[in-house]
Amino acid sequence: MLLPYLHKGLIEAGCDEAGRGCLAGAVYAASVILPADYKNELLNDSKKLTENQRYKLREVIKRDALAWAVGVVLPEEIDKINILNASFLAMHRAIDRLVLRPQHLLIDGNRFNPYPDIPHTTVVKGDGKYLSIAAASVLAKTYRDDYMNRLHEEYPMYDWKDNKGYPTKKHRDAIHRYGVTPYHRMSFNLLGDGQLSFDF
């Protein structure tokens, strides 16, 4: 069972992102505030859940949370500020949209750009330790998957419905064959060969 909070008595928001290692698409983040006594034995790091479990849990989280929100940073923004800063910005945007202001933030990972006037704690592999971070990981992952499925309809040759923009062989082969789309992150090593520039 994951932990319900770090600081008892504080309104705590868990934050996590999805899509950091992808070659294409936006990076998504979510922020979730759960009730202090919340229990859910099924809730875990989204990577340890099946797709079906994630989508079922998404509805449970949205129903049970005191507040939740999703933040998005687009590929062109990622290319300007780098993926690490983009991940932090996506979390900030999610926190901005919470209808309840948290008193403390639990951040998945080991680094974070501080959010104005709210203290935070970074937690390595926090999505496997705290319920609110696990809930954020489920929301970020499922909402990003929905987005990549929509992009797949536009560009089916890149197989985004299955790889969600991650650097699979099929995805890289398609980049080599068809070139890039407006959704590709041009600052990334898209072909996996150290080459960053394209002549298409």
Side-chain angles (χ1 to χ4, degrees), residues 91-163:
M91 289 188 198
H92 280 225
R93 287 177 176 171
I95 297 161
D96 288 344
R97 297 181 62 200
L98 289 171
V99 296
L100 181 63
R101 184 171 173 83
Q103 297 166 305
H104 184 258
L105 304 171
L106 282 175
I107 309 295
D108 185 62
N110 62 356
R111 296 172 67 185
F112 187 59
N113 289 339
Y115 188 89
D117 303 321
I118 304 179
H120 71 269
T121 301
T122 56
V123 186
V124 175
K125 296 186 177 173
D127 47 6
K129 296 173 183 173
Y130 288 95
L131 286 168
S132 61
I133 302 180
S137 80
V138 168
L139 295 191
K141 169 69 175 158
T142 54
Y143 278 102
R144 188 178 187 280
D145 283 358
D146 289 347
Y147 157 80
M148 291 307 297
N149 289 339
R150 290 193 299 273
L151 297 192
H152 173 81
E153 300 300 316
E154 202 174 336
Y155 292 98
M157 65 282 277
Y158 297 92
D159 196 35
W160 289 339
K161 75 179 189 315
D162 291 325
N163 64 47

Side-chain angles (χ1 to χ4, degrees), residues 31-35 38 59-69 100 135 139:
S31 186
V32 180
I33 300 172
L34 295 171
Y38 192 67
E59 298 313 304
V60 172
I61 292 161
K62 287 162 59 177
R63 181 194 69 205
D64 293 350
L66 300 177
W68 65 273
L100 181 63
L139 295 191

Side-chain angles (χ1 to χ4, degrees), residues 13-83:
C15 303
D16 199 5
E17 53 73 31
R20 200 158 127 179
C22 296
L23 303 180
V27 63
Y28 272 58
S31 186
V32 180
I33 300 172
L34 295 171
D37 58 351
Y38 192 67
K39 291 182 174 64
N40 188 324
E41 293 181 4
L42 299 176
L43 192 49
N44 204 336
D45 170 5
S46 66
K47 294 183 288 297
K48 295 178 180 173
L49 301 168
T50 66
E51 182 178 30
N52 187 44
Q53 287 173 324
R54 285 194 293 268
Y55 278 97
K56 282 184 178 174
L57 277 168
R58 178 167 84 177
E59 298 313 304
V60 172
I61 292 161
K62 287 162 59 177
R63 181 194 69 205
D64 293 350
L66 300 177
W68 65 273
V70 173
V72 180
V73 176
L74 298 172
E76 52 268 32
E77 295 179 281
I78 294 169
D79 287 336
K80 285 178 187 166
I81 64 174
N82 81 45
I83 187 58

Side-chain angles (χ1 to χ4, degrees), residues 176-193:
H176 194 77
R177 183 173 178 185
Y178 302 107
V180 295
T181 70
Y183 302 111
H184 278 100
R185 303 173 183 177
M186 298 307 293
S187 57
F188 279 49
N189 180 6
L190 296 177
L191 292 175
D193 58 359

